[in-house]
């Protein structure tokens, strides 16, 4: 267990940090003493997340609204946050989009939207934060997904986007390591009470299929992913760079693709998003 003050005085920025896994990551760092900045497209969600973090006891928390697909707007928010806090020690890029749809059934705009949010958004966040990172010792983490390496029906858009995220992480890990920055990714498994799993495995029967496919026999928690981010950003991981770390109870060892294929066949074709 990390010391409760392990990140005291550090500045952590979480893109997409207003809900779900990403808010959980922000809360995890705040609980260990960090000053936390969050962002998302909705100013109302940003305000609510900041209130939550402060109510939890965060030493300092603020945020800004921007769409990660818009580099200029995202960079402007990041520059302003960096000016307030002085620098970033940890950056988490977690904004993501998903909906189940066959490749032939989804619109071109639907495919593009997910690639733009996941892949372009990760690049935009990392690129805009690069000049503000603590050196040496800065940690940058992308939130990836099992679809980056495991093909799944009704997930062509996510598979393509997250595969790109993983390769971006590896490339930046090579380019930026000489500057004293580490770049890694976390791959969450099925995480309880998240929008993603509610969409991909809705209902008790679908949940049972997923749980049976996880070697540890259960869904993970948001805290499990937060702990992974804390580990990768701590001195304990000082020689870990370019890693794509599954935090999934072993789901990616074979059960993930099989379970999602079973669920996709049971659900039948679905229209795509715009």
């Amino acid at each position: 267990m990390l010391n409760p003050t392990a990140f005291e005085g550090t500045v952590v920025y979480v893109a997409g940090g207003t809900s779900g896994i990403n808010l959980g990551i922000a809360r995890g760092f705040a609980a260990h003493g960090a000053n936390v900045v969050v962002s998302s497209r909705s100013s109302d969600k940003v305000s609510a997340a900041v209130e939550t973090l402060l109510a939890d006891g965060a030493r300092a928390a603020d945020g800004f609204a921007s769409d990660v697909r818009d580099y200029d707007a995202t960079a402007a928010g990041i520059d302003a946050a960096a000016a307030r806090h002085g620098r970033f020690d940890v950056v988490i890029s977690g904004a993501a989009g998903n909906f189940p749809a066959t490749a032939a059934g989804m619109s071109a705009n639907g495919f593009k939207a997910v690639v733009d949010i996941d892949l372009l958004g990760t690049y935009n966040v990392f690129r805009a934060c690069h000049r503000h990172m603590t050196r040496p010792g800065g940690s940058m983490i992308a939130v990836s997904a099992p679809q980056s390496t495991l093909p799944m029906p009704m997930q062509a858009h996510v598979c393509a986007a997250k595969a790109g995220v993983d390769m971006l992480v590896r490339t930046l890990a090579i380019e930026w390591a000489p500057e004293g920055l580490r770049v890694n990714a976390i791959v969450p498994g099925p995480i309880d009470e998240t929008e993603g799993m509610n969409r991909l495995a809705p209902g008790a029967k679908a949940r049972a299929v997923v749980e049976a496919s996880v070697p540890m026999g259960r869904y993970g928690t948001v805290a499990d992913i937060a702990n992974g981010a804390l580990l990768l950003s701590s001195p304990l991981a000082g020689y870990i760079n370019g890693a794509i770390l599954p935090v999934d109870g072993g789901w990616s060892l074979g059960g993930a693709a099989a379970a999602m294929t079973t669920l996709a066949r049971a659900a039948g074709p679905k229209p795509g998003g715009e």
Side-chain angles (χ1 to χ4, degrees):
M1 180 177 180
L2 287 173
N3 186 304
T5 60
F7 287 89
E8 184 172 1
T10 63
V11 182
V12 178
Y13 167 49
V14 185
T18 60
S19 63
I21 285 173
N22 300 307
L23 178 56
I25 291 173
R27 295 175 80 173
F29 277 100
H32 286 79
N35 301 331
V36 182
V37 179
V38 298
S39 70
S40 75
R41 286 181 289 177
S42 167
S43 57
D44 288 342
K45 288 184 176 180
V46 170
S47 296
V50 170
E51 289 179 8
T52 295
L53 290 164
L54 292 173
D56 284 350
R59 294 170 184 267
D62 69 2
F64 61 91
S66 76
D67 188 331
V68 294
R69 295 172 289 186
D70 182 337
Y71 179 81
D72 290 340
T74 297
I78 286 169
D79 289 348
R84 291 192 299 272
H85 294 278
R87 85 285 180 188
F88 297 126
D89 300 291
V90 178
V91 168
I92 312 290
S93 180
N98 195 356
F99 55 87
T102 62
M106 79 176 77
S107 69
N109 283 340
F111 187 95
K112 181 178 184 297
V114 170
V115 173
D116 283 354
I117 294 169
D118 290 25
L119 178 54
L120 178 62
T122 298
Y123 173 78
N124 286 344
V125 167
F126 283 174
R127 176 65 182 82
C129 287
H130 173 260
R131 61 184 174 272
H132 301 299
M133 296 298 297
T134 295
R135 293 172 172 81
S139 170
M140 309 180 88
I141 300 173
V143 180
S144 188
Q147 292 93 321
S148 66
T149 57
L150 301 173
M152 298 181 187
M154 298 192 186
Q155 293 287 280
H157 46 342
V158 180
C159 290
K162 292 300 191 182
V165 168
D166 284 6
M167 287 306 295
L168 176 64
V169 163
R170 293 184 176 107
T171 302
L172 297 182
I174 295 171
E175 290 191 6
W176 293 351
E179 303 176 21
L181 302 179
R182 296 183 300 107
V183 188
N184 296 292
I186 287 177
V187 183
I191 303 302
D192 209 3
E193 299 181 356
T194 57
E195 181 180 354
M197 287 312 299
N198 289 341
R199 288 186 180 189
L200 296 177
K205 290 184 178 179
R207 181 187 178 101
V209 170
V210 174
E211 286 180 335
S213 68
V214 179
M216 291 183 69
R218 64 171 178 87
Y219 273 38
T221 67
V222 169
D224 290 325
I225 307 305
N227 289 339
L230 288 163
L231 170 63
L232 284 178
S233 300
S234 77
L236 297 174
Y239 201 54
I240 297 177
N241 185 42
I244 312 297
L245 176 68
V247 183
D248 66 358
W251 199 44
S252 57
L253 297 177
M260 300 315 296
T261 298
T262 297
L263 294 180
R265 288 173 176 168
K270 291 182 180 292
E274 294 297 324

